[in-house]
Amino acid sequence: EAEVAQSPRYKITEKSQAVAFWCDPISGHATLYWYRQILGQGPELLVQFQDESVVDDSQLPKDRFSAERLKGVDSTLKIQPAELGDSAMYLCASGWGPNSGNTIYFGEGSWLTVV
Amino acid sequence: DAKTTQPPSMDCAEGRAANLPCNHSTISGNEYVYWYRQIHSQGPQYIIHGLKNNETNEMASLIITEDRKSSTLILPHATLRDTAVYYCIVRVASNSGYALNFGKGTSLLVTP
């Protein structure tokens, strides 16, 4: 069964350093999402891509977060500089398209600890 | 946005059916109901989704009321591995597509 691949699985970084997460969606999936999940809460959408275009980044803290999907396939989420409050799990998800009936599948997530 | 209401926690004995309720009284006609679950430290796992009709797959059954204002996820024979947080989500339109807006979910504990 095809899966959404994410790396690294775990990352510890010092405050003010840069950190990046990578996601490879299920082959053929045009829509890609990045979510952030703080311990004890549900995932929150950060950014949504349709192919290589950002279609919703209203919840992305743009002063320190950036996301790209240059060729419309894999994607990178970057944080610079990292702050203590960024400690969370970062989830990538993908789907065939943006329509309501298309199922979204999640990766295993990348755990970030900022010290 | 159509919001959902779920009980914060439920218990179920192993081998029995687990019935997880969800209220979504403001759902619109073209919005689907999705269920995901999340086992500790893992990404959310898709379970099932539906629009109007009841649905069944190898994992669970989804019962949607005729007025679509509520639904129930049924795990027919719960096992210890079904212990997880279960999210009921109404898939609403974002700026340009249909994202998933997660609430707090129901924490299901399956006991021996």
Side-chain angles (χ1 to χ4, degrees):
Chain A
E1 181 176 309
E3 296 181 345
V4 177
Q6 289 189 247
S7 66
R9 186 81 171 95
Y10 302 95
K11 179 70 175 180
I12 300 174
T13 191
E14 293 184 346
K15 185 174 61 172
S16 79
Q17 295 299 304
V19 63
F21 303 106
W22 176 80
C23 172
D24 190 12
I26 293 172
S27 179
H29 279 191
T31 307
L32 186 145
Y33 308 82
W34 282 101
Y35 282 80
R36 176 172 61 184
Q37 185 172 22
I38 296 171
L39 198 62
Q41 300 182 17
E44 297 177 311
L45 179 69
L46 290 175
V47 61
Q48 175 182 343
F49 288 91
Q50 181 64 29
D51 298 309
E52 68 276 8
S53 300
V54 173
V55 295
D56 185 355
D57 63 356
S58 57
Q59 301 303 311
L60 187 71
K62 300 181 188 63
D63 57 336
R64 297 184 300 107
F65 285 66
S66 64
E68 61 182 15
R69 194 184 184 199
L70 293 176
K71 297 183 179 179
V73 180
D74 59 339
S75 176
T76 302
L77 177 70
K78 297 179 181 177
I79 308 173
Q80 182 173 17
E83 296 181 353
L84 295 178
D86 296 331
S87 294
M89 180 164 64
Y90 290 84
L91 292 158
C92 181
S94 69
W96 286 108
N99 294 327
S100 182
N102 288 324
T103 302
I104 296 174
Y105 297 94
F106 285 80
E108 285 301 303
S110 294
W111 283 97
L112 172 65
T113 300
V114 182
V115 298
Chain B
D1 291 356
K3 300 202 182 297
T4 62
T5 303
Q6 299 179 253
S9 64
M10 294 182 63
D11 294 344
C12 178
E14 188 178 20
R16 305 296 293 267
N19 297 288
L20 291 85
C22 179
N23 287 321
H24 33 78
S25 58
T26 60
I27 192 170
S28 298
N30 62 344
E31 292 173 338
Y32 285 75
V33 178
Y34 276 78
W35 283 84
Y36 283 78
R37 71 180 183 184
Q38 190 170 26
I39 298 170
H40 184 61
S41 298
Q42 298 181 18
Q45 177 188 23
Y46 166 76
I47 301 174
I48 199 166
H49 73 284
L51 183 62
K52 295 180 180 179
N53 300 321
N54 298 337
E55 303 288 343
T56 296
N57 63 20
E58 66 278 4
M59 291 183 66
S61 294
L62 174 61
I63 308 299
I64 302 174
T65 58
E66 191 170 344
D67 62 8
R68 303 213 321 128
K69 293 184 177 182
S70 66
S71 60
T72 301
L73 179 74
I74 301 172
L75 308 178
H77 306 286
T79 70
L80 299 179
R81 287 178 295 181
D82 291 324
T83 292
V85 177
Y86 287 77
Y87 295 99
C88 169
I89 304 163
V90 170
R91 195 164 178 190
V92 299
S94 64
N95 286 353
S96 183
Y98 290 85
L100 293 171
N101 293 328
F102 288 79
K104 296 183 179 180
T106 296
S107 179
L108 175 68
L109 176 63
V110 181
T111 56

